[in-house]
Amino acid sequence: MQPEPQPPPPLMDELIEEILLRLPPNDPVMLFRAALVCKNWCRLIAGSSFRRHFRKIHRMTPVLGFLYQDDLGPVIGESVFLSTSTFRLPYDNTVSNGWVAVDSLQSRILFSDGTHSSTSNYRAREVEYVVWNPITGEVHRLPMLSMLTREAWNAALICTAAGCDHLNCDNGPFSVVWAGIYQDWGIIARALVYSSEKGVWGEPSKLISVQNNRHEFHSIRGPSAHVGNAVFFEFYSYSRIEPNPPAGNNEVVYKYTQSTGILAYDLDKLELSLVRVPSSCEGYSCSLMATNDGKLGFTTLQGSKLSMWSREGFQDGGAGWAQRRVIELNKMVPDCVHHYCSLKNNRTLRFPPGVFATADGHDIVFIRMCDTIYTVDLKSGGVVKLFDRRDYGMEGIVPYITFCIPGINTIHL
């Protein structure tokens, strides 16, 4: 009689960990399921050593999805999460309490809560900002910030941990850099910083003039770019050009001019300054980014051409813009781009083509064409269709780029 085969000896924890470390970071459900196998695997995955090694091996932080403002939800402008992976936010992907996503950093997301009423001064209003980590559930509420009623603004969430490699700074110190512009015989800009270590907003920077002439509409778009010791914000303003009197039964058609620029906030000097964009990009929206070689860059969409620029330094100490690459999208996306540029079929487009945001460190940009959201890989030129919203608009895209590694508090065996 043959003896019954003996089970193989169990694998050493070191070998199990090496196998688990190779699971794909853009499929966090696989890690979660592995943690449910047994208590030993759960202990390994939830440990700080595993988290550190997992991020160091993969390095490239995965894009798990993005948040956008939904104008058909229960609260107009409320942020909703659209996953591009197996990751899901709590609360059915809808952020509670009418929060609006502003920026993200690792697993944390910066929101503004616009539900607070104005102050006793009719020209001012109070806004609360919240930093939420949906993976750990941690919520950090910032003190109320008073701003002008018609002041356009944007904010950036940045890590302030000394010498951090941004592989494991989910719960470390952070700052929120806030910038605003408002109309006062021209466009005036200011900035200030919140420190999580101090728990207070700092003093506002010195006011600077952005535009000398008056404009009917102005805004600061996001996300921002953190390059070196400065944070950069894109701003733009619109002015309406009065048309000539119509001839016969022709309708009056108004034209708009757009002015685009960049605000730079120096984190060491606590000063705000203005950076001009190339004259050829003056009338187009752009999305700021930090290039792989540590320079300020941006992408812009002009018709069907997506172009990439970077801020280059000169030997005399000056700086200027250089165009790095141009991607022709006409063959990769629907021909409505050509129709829009030639003013044919324009009535079918609710929103013009434009660049929404850049996935920092991934060379991936989010663009909108014919009310459809695409991503474009700046390295390969590949285009992926993400979402089609032809019935209504989508604004305020914030990419969510992080490692999702389950912790011991999220696993129940």
Side-chain angles (χ1 to χ4, degrees):
M1 184 176 179
Q2 294 290 336
E4 293 185 4
Q6 297 297 318
L11 292 176
M12 296 184 294
D13 286 352
E14 292 79 3
L15 293 179
I16 296 175
E17 184 174 8
E18 287 298 321
I19 295 173
L20 296 176
L21 286 172
R22 269 63 185 178
L23 293 178
N26 60 348
D27 190 3
V29 168
M30 294 186 66
L31 269 179
F32 186 81
R33 290 173 177 170
L36 296 177
V37 171
C38 63
K39 290 185 177 180
N40 186 44
W41 286 27
C42 174
R43 177 184 57 82
L44 287 174
I45 294 175
S48 58
S49 174
F50 181 88
R51 298 171 65 87
R52 183 172 60 255
H53 291 157
F54 188 83
R55 299 183 183 211
K56 185 173 295 186
I57 285 178
H58 295 284
R59 297 295 300 183
M60 182 64 76
T61 313
V63 181
L64 300 183
F66 63 91
L67 297 106
Y68 67 93
Q69 295 179 33
D70 185 2
D71 62 2
L72 284 187
V75 180
I76 300 300
E78 183 179 56
S79 285
V80 175
F81 180 75
L82 181 63
S83 178
T84 57
S85 65
T86 58
F87 175 78
R88 297 295 183 271
L89 281 183
Y91 316 118
D92 297 326
N93 290 337
T94 300
V95 180
S96 61
N97 301 324
W99 289 355
V100 176
V102 179
D103 197 11
S104 66
L105 174 68
Q106 293 297 327
S107 59
R108 294 180 288 197
I109 308 171
L110 172 66
F111 295 92
S112 68
D113 185 359
T115 60
H116 293 87
S117 60
S118 300
T119 63
S120 57
N121 184 343
Y122 74 96
R123 295 190 57 197
R125 60 191 174 102
E126 286 190 336
V127 177
E128 183 182 30
Y129 295 90
V130 180
V131 176
W132 177 42
N133 188 329
I135 297 177
T136 64
E138 180 185 7
V139 175
H140 186 114
R141 294 184 177 273
L142 280 62
M144 289 287 189
L145 179 63
S146 180
M147 50 194 293
L148 300 177
T149 301
R150 296 187 177 182
E151 187 170 23
W153 61 269
N154 200 351
L157 180 63
I158 63 174
C159 171
T160 55
C164 184
D165 57 4
H166 306 302
L167 292 178
N168 194 25
C169 57
D170 299 49
N171 297 311
F174 65 88
S175 289
V176 174
V177 181
W178 183 95
I181 56 176
Y182 60 93
Q183 189 85 49
D184 186 13
W185 301 105
I187 300 179
I188 307 300
R190 64 177 180 136
L192 63 159
V193 180
Y194 169 83
S195 169
S196 66
E197 296 177 292
K198 298 179 181 178
V200 296
W201 289 97
E203 292 295 324
S205 67
K206 182 179 178 180
L207 299 177
I208 66 169
S209 175
V210 175
Q211 296 283 348
N212 293 326
N213 55 326
R214 297 181 64 86
H215 292 267
E216 296 184 11
F217 177 78
H218 49 270
S219 180
I220 302 182
R221 297 177 71 247
S224 60
H226 182 198
V227 183
N229 65 335
V231 178
F232 299 87
F233 301 90
E234 180 217 357
F235 75 90
Y236 64 94
S237 55
Y238 285 104
S239 293
R240 186 172 63 175
I241 301 176
E242 295 294 336
N244 295 324
N249 296 325
N250 294 334
E251 296 182 0
V252 176
V253 178
Y254 290 93
K255 294 183 178 180
Y256 292 83
T257 61
Q258 177 176 330
S259 177
T260 307
I262 299 173
L263 293 175
Y265 184 74
D266 192 305
L267 295 169
D268 295 332
K269 300 179 181 178
L270 305 181
E271 293 179 353
L272 197 62
S273 60
L274 178 64
V275 177
R276 300 291 182 183
V277 299
S279 57
S280 60
C281 304
E282 181 67 26
Y284 298 88
S285 62
C286 59
S287 181
L288 304 178
M289 59 186 293
T291 63
N292 293 330
D293 51 358
K295 298 175 182 178
L296 173 65
F298 73 85
T299 57
T300 185
L301 184 63
Q302 298 171 306
S304 61
K305 292 181 172 59
L306 183 69
S307 58
M308 291 140 283
W309 297 75
S310 65
R311 188 78 165 162
E312 304 291 340
F314 301 141
Q315 292 182 352
D316 59 1
W321 293 100
Q323 190 176 61
R324 289 195 169 189
R325 189 181 179 191
V326 177
I327 299 177
E328 175 58 62
L329 300 176
N330 206 29
K331 298 180 180 179
M332 306 179 189
V333 296
D335 60 357
C336 60
V337 178
H338 174 72
H339 290 164
Y340 176 83
C341 298
S342 60
L343 298 182
K344 300 176 183 178
N345 203 30
N346 190 23
R347 64 184 182 277
T348 65
L349 294 174
R350 180 174 178 182
F351 298 98
V355 182
F356 263 120
T358 304
D360 194 22
H362 287 70
D363 289 334
I364 295 175
V365 296
F366 293 78
I367 64 173
R368 174 176 57 203
M369 290 183 173
C370 296
D371 302 339
T372 302
I373 306 301
Y374 300 86
T375 59
V376 181
D377 190 316
L378 299 180
K379 293 180 179 178
S380 66
V383 178
V384 177
K385 180 179 178 180
L386 283 185
F387 209 39
D388 192 345
R389 301 296 293 267
R390 294 180 183 272
D391 51 347
Y392 55 98
M394 176 189 292
E395 294 292 342
I397 283 185
V398 176
Y400 190 55
I401 309 169
T402 187
F403 287 101
C404 180
I405 306 172
I408 197 69
N409 59 326
T410 62
I411 306 172
H412 302 281
L413 293 176

